[in-house]
Amino acid sequence: MKITVKVHGTLMKYIADYDHEKGLELEFPDHTDAAALIDYLGIPKSGVGMVTVNGHQVKSDGVLADGAIVKVFQPIFGG
């Protein structure tokens, strides 16, 4: 399956030559989950605040779908 991945905030530093406008177009086997994607990207799990698939938040075991737009966000702090 093919997916488009966009990373936000400081997470861009983990991907060499990342272009935020285009994101990354990647291919994975069917039934790949969000945790496997994060591992593939080399982003530490502690650096991920939220993952969305087609605009819906998923947990680490959330399965990705062919053609999905996956967004990975850093944790947000403040108060």
Side-chain angles (χ1 to χ4, degrees), residues 42-64:
I43 299 171
K45 289 177 180 55
S46 63
V48 177
M50 180 174 60
V51 176
T52 65
V53 176
N54 294 330
H56 299 281
Q57 186 174 354
V58 298
K59 295 183 180 183
S60 61
D61 62 351
V63 177
L64 311 178

Side-chain angles (χ1 to χ4, degrees), residues 13-35:
K13 69 182 177 186
Y14 293 102
I15 302 168
D17 301 322
Y18 179 73
D19 181 346
H20 185 68
E21 292 295 319
K22 294 179 184 178
L24 298 171
E25 290 189 12
L26 301 173
E27 287 194 43
F28 286 98
D30 290 345
H31 309 292
T32 297
D33 63 20

Side-chain angles (χ1 to χ4, degrees), residues 29-41:
D30 290 345
H31 309 292
T32 297
D33 63 20
L37 170 64
I38 299 304
D39 287 343
Y40 175 84
L41 295 173

